Amino acid sequence: MLVDSPPEQCAESRSAPPTRRAIRAVGLLVSVLILMVVVAASIAIGAKQLSLGEVWHGLFESSGTYGDVVVDDRISRTVLGLLAGAALGLAGAVLQALTRNPLADPGLLGINAGASAAVVTAITFFGVTSLSGYVWFAFLGAAAVGAMVWFLGGSRGATPVRLALAGTAISAALYGYLQAVMIMDNAALNKMRFWTVGSLTSATDSTIRQVLPFLVVGVVLALALARPLNAMEMGDDTAKALGANLNRTRVLSMLAATVLCGAATAACGPIVFVGLMVPHVVRSFTGPDLRWILPYAAVLSPVLLLGADVLGRTVTRPAELQVGIVTAILGGPVFIFLVRRRRTAQL
């Protein structure tokens, strides 16, 4: 196995009473049904108004106006939204457990900054202009920053605080570099400003195929880390006593978060607040057990992302408001509320 599983008597991983487990299972089923409704809405609703009959016709039409809109546009962006949303939610949940900070998100460790810096470098110095080129540079940038954070955070001696500080420092430096390059190069600014907003509009079958293997590996790895992360949330000493391998768990957690967030950011651009809000909200009704938090986050994060995308397509018809803007508008007030509630609870 990739990870060590702490004993069943671990308080955080202890089996819940049957009634509570049943409630959680029913809640997860309801969440899946909600996701199915949002997926249907994402296919049926768009900037171009189509009747339900036209949408249904377009689903089975390989070419023509309806087929182009429904199959080539809406289905591709819906699939990408599903994958990216699940990846961001899982990455956020893993990082919150790793740093023991319920308000952490993938941006905390500089992964978004690494992807953005790599893309602007590709545009300015290598002349890359296609999304297929952005994907690989963004992913490599995210992976490089993840490795730097791990080594600067102390490698085998890494702690949650060191990792967070290293990520913050690297993010500040990279965003400074990013702004400097874009100010000096107007062409890079014009090409970057759309990508940095975060969007699903450029979704294609090719993009999905490129990021899918990384997302599958990241999802499997994140789900496998549930038990050891449960132990680590109780503190290093307790986790060691329960048999968890701290270094291995931290390495694999960083790898999972980097792969998930890097692939999602490469395909869609940096989308904020999804990885922060959903795991935090989920924890309020699942409890601290990551065996439930991770599946819930993987289901409900696409609900938020696709719901925001549908909202962005309808509020400014016939134009579109990019999903990264909508999640930022929705996430700001929610983040303030969560911080205030957490501060009140500590008083």
Side-chain angles (χ1 to χ4, degrees):
M1 293 179 62
L2 289 175
V3 294
D4 297 325
S5 297
E8 288 297 324
Q9 51 264 48
C10 169
E12 298 292 348
S13 301
R14 186 182 301 157
S15 297
T19 302
R20 189 172 185 184
R21 289 202 303 270
I23 292 173
R24 287 170 170 171
V26 171
L28 188 59
L29 177 60
V30 171
S31 299
V32 172
L33 294 176
I34 293 173
L35 177 59
M36 293 172 64
V37 171
V38 174
V39 166
S42 179
I43 296 173
I45 301 172
K48 181 179 178 61
Q49 291 184 318
L50 298 176
S51 68
L52 291 179
E54 291 169 338
V55 171
W56 182 260
H57 184 64
L59 288 172
F60 303 98
E61 186 180 65
S62 59
S63 61
T65 302
Y66 302 151
D68 291 342
V69 172
V70 176
V71 177
D72 296 339
D73 181 14
R74 295 184 186 176
I75 289 182
S76 293
R77 72 190 292 171
T78 299
V79 172
L80 184 59
L82 278 170
L83 296 173
L88 292 172
L90 286 172
V94 168
L95 290 176
Q96 287 174 12
L98 178 65
T99 61
R100 299 179 203 144
N101 180 359
L103 297 180
D105 75 336
L108 179 68
L109 298 185
I111 297 172
N112 285 346
S116 299
V119 170
V120 77
T121 299
I123 293 172
T124 304
F125 299 107
F126 298 100
V128 177
T129 58
S130 65
L131 180 63
S132 59
Y134 294 169
V135 167
W136 293 106
F137 275 92
F139 185 78
L140 290 174
V145 168
M148 289 174 61
V149 169
W150 173 249
F151 287 111
L152 292 178
S155 188
R156 290 184 175 273
T159 64
V161 174
R162 287 181 179 178
L163 291 173
L165 289 174
T168 301
I170 292 174
S171 293
L174 288 178
Y175 278 124
Y177 164 77
L178 184 69
Q179 295 300 320
V181 172
M182 289 197 299
I183 288 173
M184 293 186 295
D185 188 341
N186 289 331
L189 174 61
N190 291 333
K191 294 173 183 175
M192 272 291 295
R193 61 185 178 183
F194 184 79
W195 185 84
T196 55
V197 166
S199 173
L200 299 176
T201 57
S202 55
T204 63
D205 292 343
S206 175
T207 301
I208 293 170
R209 285 196 298 268
Q210 289 181 60
V211 300
L212 183 60
F214 299 105
L215 293 175
V216 171
V217 170
V219 168
V220 172
L221 186 55
L223 294 175
L225 288 165
R227 285 180 177 271
L229 284 173
N230 273 341
M232 286 181 60
E233 282 198 315
M234 297 192 300
D236 290 356
D237 293 337
T238 302
K240 287 180 181 178
L242 292 170
N245 187 319
L246 300 186
N247 289 329
R248 183 191 304 174
T249 301
R250 287 185 179 128
V251 169
L252 293 177
S253 297
M254 282 288 298
L255 178 61
T258 299
V259 170
L260 289 168
C261 186
T265 303
C268 308
I271 297 176
V272 297
F273 287 116
V274 174
L276 183 154
M277 284 192 294
V278 175
H280 187 86
V281 172
V282 163
R283 190 178 289 104
S284 66
F285 59 86
T286 64
D289 192 344
L290 282 157
R291 292 176 300 175
W292 288 100
I293 293 174
L294 291 174
Y296 266 95
V299 173
L300 291 178
S301 294
V303 170
L304 173 60
L305 187 60
L306 288 175
D309 188 45
V310 171
L311 182 62
R313 286 186 247 170
T314 56
V315 294
T316 58
R317 274 179 179 160
E320 291 189 23
L321 193 62
Q322 305 307 321
V323 66
I325 298 174
V326 179
T327 58
I329 293 173
L330 297 175
V334 173
F335 180 74
I336 294 172
F337 169 76
L338 294 175
V339 171
R340 288 183 61 83
R341 189 180 71 169
R342 179 172 172 79
R343 181 180 177 184
T344 301
Q346 291 175 339
L347 293 178

